[in-house]
C-alpha cells in the first residue's frame, strides 16, 4: 500500500492541520509517513497545501506530481490539483466554495458542502474536518478512530473544539461512504 495525497485550500482553512492529523493517524497505524507543507507568500487568505504520503514501505520522497487523491477546499485548489490526480484516484471537493463540477470522469469524486455542514454543526472553522472525514469515508486509508484519537490529543483541554471537530469528522465520513461518485465507465 502506497498513497500520495494533496490537501489544498486558502491559508487559515486548516489544510495543514488535517494533513498532520492524517499523517499522525498513519503513524499510529504502523505506516511510513511524510508530511510536507507549502505556503503562498500571504499569511491568511493565500494559497496553502501539503503533501501526505502513507505507505507500508519506506517513503523515498515527500514530493508527488501524481497523487492518488486530493482534498481541495477552494476553487483555485481544484483548478491546480485536479489535473494532477492519478486516474482512478479520489477527489474530495468543497462545494461550498467550488462553483463547478469536477472536470474529470476518471476520478472518484466526493462533493461535500464542507463549509455549510460545519456551520450547521457550530462553526465554519471545522469545514476542514468535514472534508477530511469525507476522504476517510471514501478511501478507508486510515480508520476514523485513529484520526479521532489524534484529534482529541491535539486539542486536549479544549473539549468544545474536540466535540465540534469530532461531529464534523463523523458527518464527513458518512458523506464519503454514501456520496462518493466512482469514475465513469468509458
Amino acid at each position: 500500500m502506497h498513497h500520495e495525497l494533496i490537501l489544498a485550500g486558502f491559508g487559515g482553512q486548516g489544510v495543514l492541520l488535517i494533513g498532520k492529523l492524517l499523517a499522525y493517524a498513519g503513524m499510529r497505524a504502523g505506516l511510513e509517513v511524510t508530511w510536507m507543507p507549502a505556503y503562498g507568500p500571504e499569511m491568511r487568505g493565500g494559497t496553502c497545501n501539503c503533501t501526505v504520503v502513507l505507505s507500508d514501505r519506506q517513503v523515498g520522497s515527500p514530493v508527488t506530481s501524481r497523487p492518488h487523491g486530493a482534498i481541495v477546499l477552494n476553487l483555485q485548489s481544484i483548478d491546480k490539483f485536479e489535473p494532477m490526480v492519478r486516474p482512478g484516484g479520489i477527489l474530495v471537493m468543497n462545494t461550498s466554495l467550488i462553483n463547478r463540477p469536477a472536470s474529470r470522469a476518471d476520478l472518484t469524486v466526493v462533493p461535500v458542502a464542507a463549509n455549510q455542514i460545519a456551520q450547521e454543526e457550530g462553526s465554519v472553522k471545522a469545514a476542514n474536518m468535514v472534508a477530511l472525514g469525507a476522504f476517510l469515508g471514501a478511501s478507508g486509508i486510515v480508520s476514523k478512530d485513529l484520526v479521532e484519537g489524534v484529534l482529541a490529543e491535539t486539542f486536549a483541554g479544549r473539549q468544545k473544539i474536540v466535540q465540534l471537530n469530532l461531529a464534523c469528522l463523523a458527518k464527513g465520513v458518512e458523506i464519503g461512504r454514501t456520496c462518493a461518485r466512482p469514475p465513469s465507465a468509458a
Side-chain angles (χ1 to χ4, degrees), residues 6-165:
I6 297 278
L7 299 85
F10 292 127
Q13 284 186 295
V15 169
L16 302 182
L17 173 63
I18 61 173
K20 279 186 179 181
L21 294 175
L22 189 56
Y24 279 109
M27 287 180 6
R28 289 192 179 173
L31 299 172
E32 298 290 323
V33 175
T34 64
W35 172 82
M36 187 175 76
Y39 310 87
E42 309 87 355
M43 284 184 85
R44 273 198 181 267
T47 58
C48 177
N49 68 78
C50 67
T51 303
V52 176
V53 179
L54 303 168
S55 184
D56 58 4
R57 60 186 190 268
Q58 190 172 17
V59 178
S61 173
V63 178
T64 183
S65 60
R66 299 295 290 165
H68 297 91
I71 299 173
V72 292
L73 299 181
N74 63 5
L75 185 60
Q76 293 85 341
S77 296
I78 196 169
D79 290 343
K80 181 174 181 178
F81 294 109
E82 180 184 15
M84 295 171 64
V85 178
R86 294 176 195 216
I90 297 173
L91 176 68
V92 172
M93 52 187 288
N94 178 9
T95 58
S96 294
L97 298 179
I98 299 171
N99 60 0
R100 70 165 178 85
S103 61
R104 292 179 53 195
D106 63 342
L107 301 175
T108 295
V109 177
V110 186
V112 57
N115 288 50
Q116 177 184 338
I117 293 165
Q119 186 62 52
E120 291 167 2
E121 289 297 316
S123 176
V124 73
K125 291 180 181 179
N128 60 340
M129 295 299 164
V130 177
L132 176 59
F135 187 81
L136 295 176
S139 70
I141 194 164
V142 294
S143 78
K144 176 178 151 250
D145 293 343
L146 288 174
V147 175
E148 288 174 340
V150 174
L151 176 63
E153 287 178 18
T154 299
F155 293 105
R158 295 157 55 191
Q159 199 56 30
K160 284 185 178 182
I161 292 173
V162 170
Q163 292 307 314
L164 169 66
N165 285 310

